[in-house]
Amino acid sequence: MKKRRLVMRTTILVILAAAVAYTLYANLTKDNRMKVEVGKKAPDFVLVDMEGEKHKLSDYKGQGVFLNFWGTWCKPCEAEMPYINNQYNHYKDKGVQVLAVNVSESELAVNRFAERKGLDFPIVIDTDSQVQAAYGIDPLPATFLIDKDGKVVKYHTGTLTESTVREFMEKIKP
């Protein structure tokens, strides 16, 4: 009886120790998992927008791309959308494009959100989270600034102000 209890306790202890070790390892190496580095070429992808048009990142070569990952449920994302929209309308004819990548939500939810906010820029949905994984996105909102040559100039997480969006677009304007 005592031997069986000792074996059970030891087994539980080993499982707990393994879980703690994995958690520590995952947390200590999460910064190393950043898949997209500043100064390197941005991973190419193809996603479809709300009108059924395909958007391939490499098709924007020669233009700056303001690549924003967001969700309708994300309050900081919601707060920055009007600023992105305002600056998009100012910079779209100056060689800066916005691609807003929604992270796996339904087309209905995204359409309602875009209509309510009056968004003009292309919105694509990453239905299978492959682009989100390729870019190592966590947490939202996350923004990548990509220059005319397809290289990442800056990575930013957190809410953007209108002046920050303007500054970022100015930075990637060809």
Side-chain angles (χ1 to χ4, degrees):
M1 185 80 153
K2 284 185 180 182
K3 191 172 188 173
R4 199 162 95 194
R5 199 174 333 154
L6 179 64
V7 169
M8 285 296 273
R9 287 181 180 167
T10 304
T11 303
I12 291 170
L13 188 61
V14 167
I15 291 170
L16 285 173
V20 167
Y22 174 76
T23 302
L24 286 172
Y25 171 78
N27 282 327
L28 292 174
T29 61
K30 74 178 176 187
D31 292 336
N32 299 338
R33 287 194 305 248
M34 172 55 77
K35 301 203 167 101
V36 178
E37 294 179 39
V38 171
K40 302 274 175 132
K41 192 166 175 58
D44 202 10
F45 61 85
V46 178
L47 292 173
V48 178
D49 70 15
M50 307 314 289
E51 281 78 47
E53 288 184 46
K54 287 185 178 181
H55 292 266
K56 184 175 183 181
L57 183 62
S58 57
D59 288 346
Y60 292 99
K61 193 166 179 122
Q63 301 177 64
V65 178
F66 186 94
L67 182 63
N68 181 263
F69 290 83
W70 66 285
T72 62
W73 46 267
C74 166
K75 291 299 176 195
C77 302
E78 184 176 3
E80 70 187 15
M81 284 297 166
Y83 308 140
I84 295 171
N85 198 61
N86 291 344
Q87 295 308 311
Y88 167 72
N89 286 319
H90 182 74
Y91 281 92
K92 68 181 176 184
D93 296 328
K94 296 178 182 180
V96 176
Q97 289 297 320
V98 169
L99 269 181
V101 180
N102 177 272
V103 291
S104 306
E105 292 186 85
S106 75
E107 201 170 311
L108 178 65
V110 174
N111 269 327
R112 282 185 177 166
F113 181 90
E115 284 174 16
R116 196 172 73 243
K117 296 289 179 187
L119 303 178
D120 302 318
F121 49 78
I123 297 173
V124 294
I125 301 176
D126 186 14
T127 52
D128 55 9
S129 300
Q130 286 189 1
V131 177
Q132 184 181 358
Y135 278 77
I137 302 302
D138 184 41
L140 293 177
T143 303
F144 288 86
L145 303 181
I146 302 168
D147 71 10
K148 63 182 176 60
D149 300 317
K151 289 187 180 161
V152 176
V153 174
K154 183 164 181 62
Y155 171 63
H156 177 86
T157 57
T159 311
L160 298 168
T161 63
E162 184 130 21
S163 62
T164 306
V165 173
R166 186 180 316 108
E167 174 190 321
F168 284 180
M169 289 193 179
E170 197 60 43
K171 187 178 256 192
I172 57 174
K173 185 173 77 172

